[in-house]
Amino acid sequence: MSGGSEDRRGGTTGPLDLTKPVIDAEPVTGSQPPVPPGGTGNVTGGQPAAAEVMSRRERRRAWRQEDKARRYAARNSVRFPIFTRSVLLWMLIFALTGVAFGASGAFWWANFNSQVSDLRSTTENFEERSADAQASIEQLREQALTDINDALGPLQGFLAETQVLQLAQLFSPAVYSVATLDEEGRPAVGTAFAVISDDRETYFVTSYTTVKAATVTPGPEVTIRKGTEETRAEVWNWDPERDLALIRAPKGGVQVLEWISNDAAAKALGGRIFPVSGLGGAGASLTTGVVIDQSAAGFQHTAPLGPAFQGGPIVTVDGKVLGVASLAYEPLGFDPGEIHFAVPITQVCQKLLQCGGADRTPSSRGG
């Protein structure tokens, strides 16, 4: 048996290596005739016919083309589902993100509305509550100031006592020394302080004891002095019972001291006071003491007085006139000695002045 195989078309093919198996041998469609029944496809000697068997190269080419077609078909069948699943996944992610943001926004919006509602309820009637709070604060402030002043009252007196010279300079423009003669022709001195002043003249309160001799005609000359300056004055009115007198001088623009209020005067007991004299290197001088008794007739104090102080103002720590200093005022009918009585400043308005609040005018001339 020859080593070649005969082609059905009459030719022969090369020798076949029957020891190597044929991989994926598939029949070739076309004009190739089918293998006769009962046969093995071999021509003589069991070898395959040339028309029934493809060459290796053709089989490999056919296998590669089929595999390429299969892979291409697989890629085409999978590409769109993957893209679709990706789109759906991203849409799901965006949807979940949107839901999360929406839920968060709804939560914070509800919280914001709750806070706004609380704020509105809190600020309701704000003006009314603010006015009430302001009134309460003002009341507490006034009470605190009152408590502080009450607590510092005694201390203020002692502190003021160390500032006598400075206080003297403050009162100097309002007080003048008074010089005249008594009934026996001896010098009589005292202090006068301004209670009414305009551009032309000033009215001063002083002690009746100092100018007593000048209340009759003819009487001695009365002079008010400030340093080397002297101005002649005339006695305008007097009140012997309270040891008060009102004199007038042609001198305008004199400082007028402020008087204490009735409420403050009623609380003067135990307070520090300062009688003021019109004599002194600073234009005035002061002594200090304490109010130890108070009544409708006046008040008693421990401040030492000399003749130059009689008729002068007695001032409080805040510089307001509480009374008029006197060495001769005896409301109880006897000489009180070193514990002097003083006339309340408000009693000046009973005979010497006509007072209407802050407005004052002199009474009619004469005693």
Side-chain angles (χ1 to χ4, degrees), residues 260-312:
I260 194 171
S261 65
N262 293 333
D263 293 339
K267 301 176 182 178
L269 185 62
R272 182 80 43 181
I273 48 93
F274 301 91
V276 184
S277 168
L279 292 176
S285 59
L286 291 82
T287 61
T288 182
V290 176
V291 176
I292 62 172
D293 188 32
Q294 195 172 16
S295 65
F299 59 91
Q300 280 185 288
H301 60 89
T302 62
L305 298 177
F309 283 88
Q310 60 183 354

Side-chain angles (χ1 to χ4, degrees), residues 13-26:
T13 62
L16 296 176
D17 189 358
L18 300 178
T19 61
K20 295 181 181 181
V22 177
I23 301 174
D24 296 335
E26 294 180 3

Side-chain angles (χ1 to χ4, degrees), residues 29-292:
T29 59
S31 60
Q32 190 174 10
V35 178
T40 60
N42 293 336
V43 186
T44 60
Q47 293 182 351
E52 296 179 356
V53 181
M54 293 186 302
S55 67
R56 296 179 182 175
R57 183 175 299 175
E58 290 175 348
R59 288 198 303 271
R60 289 174 182 171
R61 184 182 301 113
W63 179 81
R64 283 196 298 268
Q65 290 177 352
E66 184 179 356
D67 184 68
K68 182 177 180 181
R70 185 171 58 252
R71 286 194 303 242
Y72 180 78
R75 283 198 300 269
N76 288 340
S77 63
V78 174
R79 181 178 302 170
F80 181 78
I82 291 178
F83 175 76
T84 303
R85 287 195 295 268
S86 300
V87 171
L88 292 177
L89 178 61
W90 281 109
M91 291 178 63
L92 178 61
I93 293 174
F94 287 139
L96 293 177
T97 304
V99 170
F101 276 108
S104 176
F107 171 77
W108 289 112
W109 179 254
N111 186 38
F112 173 76
N113 286 335
S114 176
Q115 292 181 356
V116 169
S117 299
D118 294 341
L119 181 61
R120 286 176 178 173
S121 62
T122 302
T123 56
E124 188 177 2
N125 300 327
F126 175 77
E127 294 183 357
E128 181 179 353
R129 289 188 293 171
S130 176
D132 294 340
Q134 184 67 26
S136 299
I137 292 173
E138 188 65 23
Q139 184 177 1
L140 292 174
R141 174 181 174 276
E142 294 295 334
Q143 183 62 40
L145 290 176
T146 301
D147 294 342
I148 292 173
N149 290 331
D150 292 342
L152 294 179
L155 181 60
Q156 287 177 343
F158 289 110
L159 292 176
E161 188 173 356
T162 65
Q163 301 174 350
V164 171
L165 294 178
Q166 288 81 355
L167 290 175
Q169 294 176 352
L170 295 177
F171 296 115
S172 176
V175 295
Y176 285 76
S177 117
V178 179
T180 185
L181 301 175
D182 61 12
E183 295 92 333
E184 298 178 1
R186 292 176 300 186
V189 296
T191 295
F193 63 97
V195 290
I196 302 173
S197 183
D198 58 22
D199 296 337
R200 297 178 297 106
E201 60 184 10
T202 301
Y203 288 86
F204 298 86
V205 170
T206 188
S207 169
Y208 169 76
T209 302
T210 302
V211 298
K212 179 179 179 181
T215 59
V216 297
T217 303
E221 182 181 293
V222 178
T223 303
I224 60 172
R225 298 174 179 174
K226 176 66 66 178
T228 59
E229 179 187 357
E230 294 187 0
T231 303
R232 185 172 179 177
E234 60 176 333
V235 179
W236 183 265
N237 206 341
W238 55 90
D239 184 359
E241 181 182 356
R242 297 179 176 84
D243 192 27
L244 296 174
L246 186 68
I247 61 176
R248 184 181 70 171
K251 181 178 181 62
V254 178
Q255 177 181 333
V256 176
L257 297 177
E258 183 179 357
W259 294 6
I260 194 171
S261 65
N262 293 333
D263 293 339
K267 301 176 182 178
L269 185 62
R272 182 80 43 181
I273 48 93
F274 301 91
V276 184
S277 168
L279 292 176
S285 59
L286 291 82
T287 61
T288 182
V290 176
V291 176
I292 62 172

